[in-house]
């Protein structure tokens, strides 16, 4: 074999096949995106990433990955020819030809290793960039217009959105690239090795009929029948994989809630109930896992049988020609190698069916997530209009999800400095009214004028983010320290270095988040310390930059006082206080309201509460009587 000519032919082959493959790949993607359900699902999720209007880089990267994939196919063809050369040299006892074959192998192996490493890097970098873009897209849509909140009002919400954003995005990106390049590799390799096998195959007599090039026809028939049977056996894996993701996510969510509400569960001694719930959800996981095992046994057992039978098939067919010296040992070994490669390529769709089943399940989960966001954003909203400093409500009607009337045609006007106390029996719609004014409640209609961005809501149990006490005080504003927000970067780097050389012990200790971050100097942020003193949390001033789960450390009364500290930091034009002093004694409650009125005299206060002690801090009172009825009392003692 003339290897110099072989290399020239390889360059010509690669350039020609690359152009054809690039065109076919583009047309196939276009056809699938237009004509198939899962193709449309894919394009809905990632069409924006591959849009040339955004950037040409993803398309050029895909084109380069295609080139590397085709180069890998051509290298396999060259290795196939190398096998023929090497075994023929052994048969002829040609030592010079043998050692030349060894040098050729060294050159081919070097190119193969370099191509494989480059292909790995490019694919991984492409996956990371694609995953980053898709994560940002889904996360942005999830947070936009309070979709993360409003989806709970859908008739059929979305389960485990955290898993769909974090895990399913990763699986989608990796599987999209793996399966698409696998299909290209399989199809191009099928053509290339069919030509090799065509040249090596001879006639075969079957039932008195001589079939020319029988090896080629037999392998296609063999794999086609096996693939059809495999798809029939493996089809239930699509739904089983979908349920596997869902049941595991449900179980993980229940475990998270156990940790989140551990104190309440412990007070109730609710271990038996929690155990029953957790074991029930885990039983779903295990039941589905066994269903996957039994179905996979059938699927893999069939695939293994087909693959093993294919090992000896070419030797049996070519044995007669070899022993009659019609072909050489090199031809026989190349036939077996080409047959095996062709059988693997044709079997790609059969062997990858379980992966495709998982991919379809992931596509359905991400598409369902997008659909839930669309439905949440289409839910009705009150007519919100921006006004600089006052709150005006006209003809506001509020219903429950089952259309029970809570508030009928409410009219209300509050100017800067006004304070309104909302009272009424339980279930009359006090908190729901606050949600409607904030634009969160979809089951209402009317006109609301309020400041668009200068609002703050204090709940009965304030939300404290993970991080330092300073960050909890400044929430929802972002506070940074000199070195970082949560993790000391040097410790993170040391942990990475420590784990790179060997298998380290105590990994939790190596990557544990430190309990403190570099503190912000007092002279840089005197406001935080002063506010803590004013809300009677001065004993915590030295712990401002301690990173911890403060919702567990602080009592509910301390958390509510921290909420008043947020009011002083944010200085909103309108503040909603929903039972925001319920855990304080009357003296603390009085002190907090007087503090806010002294520092925020122009802020509109809207409070919800049952205590009569709140009346003195509000000049107006809204009484909700149920069944839509309401009344407003003015000029109460302040």
């Amino acid at each position: 074999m003339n290897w110099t000519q072989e290399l020239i032919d390889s360059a010509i082959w690669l350039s020609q096949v690359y152009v054809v493959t690039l065109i076919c790949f583009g047309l196939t993607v276009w056809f699938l995106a237009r004509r198939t359900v899962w193709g449309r699902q894919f394009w809905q999720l990632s069409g924006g990433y591959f849009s040339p209007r955004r950037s040409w880089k993803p398309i050029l990267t895909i084109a380069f990955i295609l080139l590397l994939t085709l180069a890998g196919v051509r290298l396999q063809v060259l290795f196939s020819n190398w096998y023929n050369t090497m075994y023929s040299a052994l048969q002829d006892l040609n030592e010079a030809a043998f050692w030349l074959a060894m040098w050729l192998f060294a050159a081919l192996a070097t190119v193969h290793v370099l191509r494989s490493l480059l292909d790995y890097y490019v694919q991984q970098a492409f996956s990371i960039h694609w995953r980053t873009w898709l994560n940002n897209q889904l996360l942005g849509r999830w947070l936009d217009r309070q979709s993360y909140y409003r989806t709970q009002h859908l008739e059929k919400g979305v389960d485990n959105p955290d898993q769909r954003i974090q895990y399913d995005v990763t699986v989608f990106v990796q599987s999209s690239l793996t399966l698409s390049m696998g299909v290209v590799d399989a199809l191009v390799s099928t053509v290339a090795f069919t030509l090799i096998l065509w040249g090596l195959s001879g006639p075969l007599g079957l039932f008195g009929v001589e079939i020319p090039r029988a090896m080629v026809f037999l392998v296609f028939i063999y794999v086609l029948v096996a693939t059809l049977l495999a798809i029939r056996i493996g089809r239930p894996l699509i739904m089983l994989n979908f349920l596997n993701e869902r049941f595991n996510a449900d179980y993980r969510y229940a475990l998270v809630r156990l940790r989140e509400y551990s104190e309440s569960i412990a007070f109730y001694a609710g271990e038996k109930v929690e155990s029953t719930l957790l074991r029930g959800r885990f039983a779903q996981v295990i039941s589905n896992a066994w269903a996957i095992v039994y179905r996979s046994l059938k699927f893999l057992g069939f695939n293994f049988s087909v693959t093993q039978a294919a090992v000896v098939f070419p030797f049996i067919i070519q044995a007669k020609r070899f022993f009659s010296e019609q072909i050489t040992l090199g031809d026989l070994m190349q036939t077996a190698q080409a047959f095996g490669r062709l059988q693997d390529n044709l079997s790609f769709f059969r062997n990858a069916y379980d992966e495709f089943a998982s991919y379809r399940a992931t596509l359905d989960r991400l598409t369902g997530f997008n659909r839930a966001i669309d439905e949440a954003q289409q839910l009705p909203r009150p007519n919100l209009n921006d006004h600089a400093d006052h709150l005006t409500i006209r003809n506001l009607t509020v219903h429950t999800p089952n259309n029970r009337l809570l508030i009928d045609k409410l009219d209300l006007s509050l100017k800067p400095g006004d304070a309104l106390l909302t009272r009424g029996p339980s279930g009359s719609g006090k908190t729901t009214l606050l949600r409607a004014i904030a634009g969160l409640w979809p089951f209402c209609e009317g006109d609301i004028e309020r400041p668009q961005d200068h609002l703050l809501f204090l709940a009965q149990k304030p939300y404290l983010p993970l991080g330092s006490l300073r960050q909890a005080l400044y929430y929802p504003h972002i506070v940074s320290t000199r070195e970082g927000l949560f993790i000391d970067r040097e410790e993170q780097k040391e942990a990475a270095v420590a784990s790179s050389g060997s298998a380290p012990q105590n990994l939790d200790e190596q990557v544990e988040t430190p309990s403190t971050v570099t503190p912000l100097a007092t002279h840089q942020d005197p406001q935080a310390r002063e506010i803590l003193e004013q809300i009677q949390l001065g004993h915590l001033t030295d712990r401002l930059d301690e990173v911890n789960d403060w919702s567990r450390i602080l009592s509910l009364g301390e958390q509510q006082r921290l909420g008043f500290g947020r009011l002083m930091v944010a200085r909103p034009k309108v503040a909603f206080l929903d039972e925001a002093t319920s855990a304080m004694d009357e003296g603390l409650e009085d002190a907090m309201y007087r503090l806010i009125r002294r520092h925020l005299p122009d802020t509109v206060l809207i409070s919800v509460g049952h205590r009569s002690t709140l009346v003195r801090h509000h000049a107006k009172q809204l009484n909700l009587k149920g069944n839509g009825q309401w009344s407003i009392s003015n000029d109460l003692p302040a």
Side-chain angles (χ1 to χ4, degrees):
M1 180 174 291
N2 187 341
W3 280 91
T4 301
Q5 185 60 42
E6 190 70 22
L7 293 176
I8 296 173
D9 293 342
S10 295
I12 297 173
W13 179 92
L14 187 59
S15 60
Q16 293 175 338
V17 173
Y18 178 65
V19 172
V20 174
T21 302
L22 204 58
I23 295 173
C24 292
F25 186 83
L27 291 175
T28 302
V29 171
W30 177 85
F31 175 81
L32 293 176
R34 290 292 188 93
R35 300 296 182 183
T36 65
V37 174
W38 60 272
R40 286 192 291 269
Q41 290 176 331
F42 171 87
W43 198 250
Q44 178 189 3
L45 290 169
S46 292
Y49 181 70
F50 294 99
S51 173
R53 295 180 180 179
R54 189 192 69 86
S55 174
W56 279 95
K57 187 177 293 185
I59 297 178
L60 295 177
T61 306
I62 280 289
F64 186 56
I65 293 174
L66 275 173
L67 179 63
L68 292 174
T69 301
L70 296 178
V73 173
R74 188 59 187 180
L75 278 171
Q76 292 298 326
V77 172
L78 294 178
F79 273 115
S80 176
N81 293 334
W82 175 85
Y83 273 106
N84 195 327
T85 300
M86 192 269 291
Y87 279 109
S88 295
L90 289 175
Q91 183 181 24
D92 296 338
L93 301 179
N94 188 336
E95 184 176 359
F98 172 79
W99 288 114
L100 178 61
M102 293 301 103
W103 283 109
L104 285 171
F105 178 81
L108 290 175
T110 300
V111 174
H112 173 66
V113 169
L114 293 176
R115 187 213 66 87
S116 298
L117 292 176
L118 181 59
D119 184 52
Y120 171 80
Y121 171 77
V122 174
Q123 288 204 31
Q124 292 302 310
F126 179 76
S127 296
I128 291 172
H129 289 306
W130 187 2
R131 178 184 171 188
T132 300
W133 179 88
L134 186 54
N135 176 81
N136 291 338
Q137 290 292 114
L138 292 179
L139 191 60
R141 298 195 71 223
W142 183 232
L143 295 175
D144 184 40
R145 302 174 65 187
Q146 293 94 33
S147 296
Y148 60 92
Y149 172 81
R150 294 170 68 84
T151 50
Q152 64 183 312
H153 297 302
L154 296 175
E155 184 176 346
K156 185 177 181 181
V158 56
D159 63 274
N160 307 298
D162 51 327
Q163 187 198 37
R164 300 194 188 211
I165 294 175
Q166 184 270 326
Y167 178 75
D168 289 341
V169 164
T170 304
V171 173
F172 167 73
V173 169
Q174 292 176 345
S175 297
S176 294
L177 193 57
T178 301
L179 290 172
S180 60
M181 291 303 111
V183 169
V184 171
D185 182 89
L187 293 178
V188 176
S189 294
T190 296
V191 175
F193 282 93
T194 296
L195 295 177
I196 292 175
L197 201 59
W198 185 269
L200 294 170
S201 181
L204 176 68
L206 190 65
F207 303 114
V209 179
E210 186 175 85
I211 304 174
R213 314 290 181 180
M215 182 79 71
V216 176
F217 298 108
L218 288 176
V219 69
F220 273 89
I221 294 172
Y222 180 79
V223 174
L224 179 61
V225 173
T227 300
L228 292 176
L229 291 175
I231 290 175
R232 184 179 181 85
I233 295 171
R235 185 180 297 276
L237 285 171
I238 295 178
M239 179 55 71
L240 290 174
N241 277 290
F242 180 88
L243 293 175
N244 182 59
E245 299 295 341
R246 178 176 179 177
F247 291 153
N248 274 288
D250 288 344
Y251 180 54
R252 185 164 55 248
Y253 179 67
L255 290 172
V256 170
R257 284 182 58 84
L258 176 64
R259 182 182 64 184
E260 184 177 357
Y261 295 98
S262 58
E263 184 177 63
S264 298
I265 294 170
F267 270 124
Y268 279 111
E271 294 82 7
K272 290 185 179 179
V273 175
E274 296 300 321
S275 176
T276 301
L277 173 65
L278 291 170
R279 293 177 190 277
R281 293 201 171 185
F282 184 69
Q284 288 182 314
V285 173
I286 294 303
S287 176
N288 193 73
W290 277 117
I292 291 177
V293 168
Y294 292 137
R295 179 55 57 173
S296 296
L297 277 176
K298 299 175 183 178
F299 182 71
L300 294 175
F302 178 79
N303 276 347
F304 290 157
S305 300
V306 170
T307 301
Q308 290 303 309
V311 172
V312 297
F313 193 76
F315 291 103
I316 294 174
I317 299 298
Q318 291 284 60
K320 183 177 180 180
R321 299 184 68 213
F322 173 73
F323 288 118
S324 63
E325 298 185 353
Q326 297 180 40
I327 58 174
T328 65
L329 177 62
D331 292 334
L332 178 62
M333 299 307 299
Q334 188 179 17
T335 299
Q337 194 266 349
F339 183 91
R341 178 70 179 174
L342 184 58
Q343 191 264 341
D344 288 342
N345 295 329
L346 292 173
S347 300
F348 171 81
F349 302 98
R350 171 172 55 87
N351 293 325
Y353 190 79
D354 55 341
E355 186 177 351
F356 181 74
S358 177
Y359 180 67
R360 280 294 309 272
T362 301
L363 263 180
D364 287 339
R365 287 177 60 78
L366 289 176
T367 304
F369 180 69
N370 258 335
R371 184 169 55 249
I373 293 176
D374 290 335
E375 292 174 359
Q377 294 182 351
Q378 291 170 5
L379 288 173
R381 296 171 179 265
N383 185 22
L384 297 177
N385 298 298
D386 188 18
H387 194 284
D389 53 9
H390 74 220
L391 173 68
T392 301
I393 298 173
R394 299 186 185 91
N395 295 320
L396 180 64
T397 300
V398 181
H399 299 85
T400 63
N402 58 8
N403 209 33
R404 181 170 67 87
L405 183 63
L406 293 176
I407 302 172
D408 186 28
K409 297 181 179 179
L410 173 65
D411 291 306
L412 177 66
S413 181
L414 299 173
K415 62 182 183 298
D418 282 350
L420 173 73
L421 175 61
T422 304
R423 306 182 72 182
S426 179
S428 60
K430 300 183 296 297
T431 300
T432 305
L433 173 61
L434 300 188
R435 293 171 181 155
I437 297 173
L440 301 178
W441 192 251
F443 310 104
C444 61
E445 57 271 347
D447 296 311
I448 300 173
E449 290 183 359
R450 58 169 177 74
Q452 191 69 21
D453 299 318
H454 299 280
L455 306 172
L456 193 67
F457 180 88
L458 297 188
Q460 185 174 11
K461 181 174 174 56
Y463 171 69
L464 301 186
L466 295 176
S468 68
L469 183 61
R470 190 189 306 273
Q471 291 166 322
L473 176 63
Y474 278 82
Y475 189 84
H477 301 289
I478 298 175
V479 180
S480 61
T481 61
R482 287 201 303 265
E483 298 295 333
L485 293 178
F486 298 98
I487 300 176
D488 188 313
R489 303 303 175 194
E490 289 302 318
E491 289 196 16
Q492 204 176 40
K493 189 183 299 183
E494 289 173 6
V497 172
S499 62
S500 62
S502 59
Q505 303 296 319
N506 302 321
L507 288 175
D508 283 331
E509 295 180 7
Q510 291 197 35
V511 298
E512 183 179 6
T513 302
S515 60
T516 60
V517 295
T518 303
L520 212 62
T522 304
H523 69 272
Q524 292 178 312
D525 185 25
Q527 181 187 29
R529 181 177 292 268
E530 181 182 348
I531 288 177
L532 286 187
E533 295 285 355
Q534 291 175 333
I535 60 177
Q536 303 185 34
L537 293 177
H539 58 286
L540 297 173
T541 53
D542 293 332
R543 303 177 68 183
L544 267 169
D545 292 293
E546 180 179 328
V547 176
N548 223 316
D549 189 354
W550 289 100
S551 62
R552 299 183 185 277
I553 296 175
L554 300 181
S555 68
L556 182 56
E558 289 174 321
Q559 293 179 44
Q560 289 183 346
R561 275 179 274 163
L562 193 66
F564 277 83
R566 285 180 183 168
L567 277 178
M568 297 175 64
V569 170
R571 305 186 68 83
K573 294 181 178 179
V574 179
F576 304 98
L577 287 74
D578 186 10
E579 300 278 2
T581 58
S582 60
M584 303 181 198
D585 57 52
E586 293 179 0
L588 270 176
E589 177 187 88
D590 183 72
M592 291 300 105
Y593 268 94
R594 290 184 182 277
L595 180 66
I596 293 304
R597 265 295 157 240
R598 186 168 65 250
H599 288 272
L600 304 175
D602 295 327
T603 296
V604 176
L605 289 182
I606 302 178
S607 300
V608 171
H610 297 281
R611 286 181 178 175
S612 59
T613 52
L614 289 172
V615 174
R616 70 170 69 100
H617 301 291
H618 301 81
K620 295 184 178 183
Q621 183 170 312
L622 171 63
N623 295 295
L624 301 181
K625 303 175 182 180
N627 298 321
Q629 298 182 21
W630 53 272
S631 65
I632 296 179
S633 304
N634 295 302
D635 301 322
L636 297 174

